[in-house]
Amino acid sequence: MIVEQLIHECSNNNTKAQEQVYRLLAPKLFSVCLKYSRNYEEAQDNLQESFLIIFDKINQYKNSGSFEGWAKRIVINYVLQQYRKQNVFEIVSEKIPAEEELEIDDDSISIEFLTKIIQELPDRYRLVFNLYVLDGYSHKEISEMLGINIGTSKSNLARAKAILKTKIDVNSSFDVKKSK
């Protein structure tokens, strides 16, 4: 069944079509949830809640752009909404630290380790890092999405990069010591 037909069937509350859409999109959308969530369990919860919203609002999809992209925006917006409710975006300081260059040696760092250290970032840093670095949003867009100003977005990104760089450096030096 083609995607347009599945979407139409889902808008008529066809559970078989909803199951097919879920199976089609869940792996990709779960990876989005993992990026933005604190841990695996929270990512699972966010995925389930996001799919409820997707199926509830599926009749709002206008067949312009990819359905997957539309669903991904719903997932990101849902997760961000959960953090906004928790007031994780309180402004601490507008002082922007010097920009850290974050270079990752693909051979020495596993994707599992990278995902783990990103998940360990404080919420506001992790969300800004993911939105800016991994999903390509501008600081202006991030400030609007999170209800913070542009300076706070830049500051949170710089702090996130500094924390990640430290953790990567510690891991790299630990690996070097282990191999000796």
Side-chain angles (χ1 to χ4, degrees), residues 102 117-118 121 129 160-169:
L102 187 61
I117 64 173
I118 290 172
L121 286 170
F129 178 84
K161 285 181 173 181
I163 292 168
L164 292 174
K165 183 176 183 338
T166 300
K167 288 184 178 199
I168 290 169
D169 289 347

Side-chain angles (χ1 to χ4, degrees), residues 23-165:
R23 290 183 190 280
L24 182 71
L25 294 180
K28 293 175 183 171
L29 296 181
F30 185 66
S31 68
V32 173
C33 288
L34 269 176
K35 283 192 312 191
Y36 288 94
S37 301
R38 292 179 189 103
N39 54 50
Y40 192 87
E41 292 76 23
E42 185 178 86
Q44 288 177 312
D45 291 344
N46 287 333
L47 179 69
Q48 296 308 317
E49 292 299 322
S50 295
F51 265 104
L52 292 175
I53 295 167
I54 289 167
F55 292 136
D56 186 51
K57 296 183 179 222
I58 202 160
N59 59 348
Q60 295 177 12
Y61 175 67
K62 302 297 182 207
N63 291 319
S64 61
S66 81
F67 179 68
E68 184 182 321
W70 178 82
K72 179 181 175 184
R73 280 192 302 280
I74 287 178
V75 170
I76 291 172
N77 286 332
Y78 173 77
V79 175
L80 295 180
Q81 180 183 26
Q82 300 315 299
Y83 287 114
R84 280 193 294 270
K85 287 179 185 175
Q86 298 168 13
N87 292 322
V88 299
F89 301 114
E90 294 174 22
I91 298 173
V92 178
S93 168
E94 286 290 317
K95 216 189 296 184
I96 302 171
E99 182 75 17
E100 286 281 339
E101 253 327 292
L102 187 61
E103 291 191 26
I104 299 171
D105 179 5
D106 294 346
D107 297 332
S108 65
I109 306 263
S110 72
I111 192 71
E112 292 81 15
F113 175 73
L114 197 53
T115 300
K116 180 182 176 292
I117 64 173
I118 290 172
Q119 285 178 329
E120 290 172 352
L121 286 170
D123 295 335
R124 63 185 175 271
Y125 300 162
R126 183 182 67 255
L127 297 174
V128 171
F129 178 84
N130 285 332
L131 288 167
Y132 187 85
V133 174
L134 302 179
D135 289 322
Y137 288 96
S138 70
H139 285 296
K140 183 179 186 312
E141 292 168 317
I142 294 168
S143 73
E144 292 166 0
M145 293 169 83
L146 302 181
I148 59 177
N149 66 43
I150 293 172
T152 301
S153 177
K154 289 179 179 179
S155 173
N156 287 347
L157 176 63
R159 288 191 177 107
K161 285 181 173 181
I163 292 168
L164 292 174
K165 183 176 183 338

